[in-house]
Amino acid sequence: MNARGFDDSIDVEKEDLRKNPELYRIGRGEQGVLKVEPYKSEILPHWKFATPEDAERSSSTILGMFEDYLEQKDIVGADMARKFLQMGYTRSRRYAKYPGGKKYKGPVPEDKKGVSGAHGREQREPSPEDPEKAESARIFKKAWDTARTNETYRRLRKAHQEAYG
């Protein structure tokens, strides 16, 4: 388990966490968003933020999935949908500030591919904000805020954390 709570020792790409929710640890932020199955495969095809129209359709669909997961008392699915909404916001913000989403200069070192962080690379200067991507970010932020403040989500999240850490 890393310092932020997500258990990296579990192969979440091979485990079915719908059948084994006790294996899931709610980490901070977007941890595991592109790994935890079967949710990644269910949600990822709907995740788009290139235009405000894409963001509106995508965030609405994913928020609906979030609500469906909550109805089923599936906190893992709800948390993963919340993470995709958060990631829609953060990626849209990055693309709004950095053309092509490239925040750092130079390539990712071979031994650091797939690991987040600057890895010693210098950060690029932000460009003038792309208003289309900024609007996509605003749309995702609204949906993310709706999800993370949902009382049913907060109650199920707390119960899961108390039961499984």
Side-chain angles (χ1 to χ4, degrees), residues 14-64:
K14 291 197 171 114
E15 290 286 344
D16 181 338
L17 293 185
R18 178 171 288 124
K19 292 179 183 172
N20 300 295
E22 71 282 357
L23 298 176
Y24 184 73
R25 299 297 176 269
I26 297 173
R28 289 176 148 194
E30 302 162 15
Q31 290 178 312
V33 72
L34 295 175
K35 293 181 179 179
V36 176
E37 290 292 2
Y39 307 102
K40 177 188 100 173
S41 294
E42 293 172 0
I43 303 168
L44 183 60
H46 304 286
W47 184 72
K48 299 189 179 3
F49 60 91
T51 67
E53 293 77 21
D54 287 341
E56 192 67 55
R57 196 169 28 259
S58 176
S59 64
S60 176
T61 299
I62 295 170
L63 190 57

Side-chain angles (χ1 to χ4, degrees), residues 62-75:
I62 295 170
L63 190 57
M65 295 173 83
F66 169 85
E67 291 164 352
D68 290 345
Y69 291 131
L70 287 181
E71 259 183 50
Q72 299 162 29
K73 301 208 180 335
D74 182 347
I75 187 57

Side-chain angles (χ1 to χ4, degrees), residues 94 96-99 102-103 123-129:
R94 178 177 282 193
K97 293 165 93 174
Y98 303 98
K102 296 188 186 304
K103 186 175 178 178
Q123 188 168 323
R124 296 177 185 275
E125 284 294 318
S127 297
E129 187 170 87

Side-chain angles (χ1 to χ4, degrees), residues 131-144:
E132 190 170 68
K133 297 294 188 288
E135 178 62 12
S136 291
R138 188 196 64 72
I139 291 164
F140 268 102
K141 177 76 164 73
K142 183 178 176 190
W144 174 36

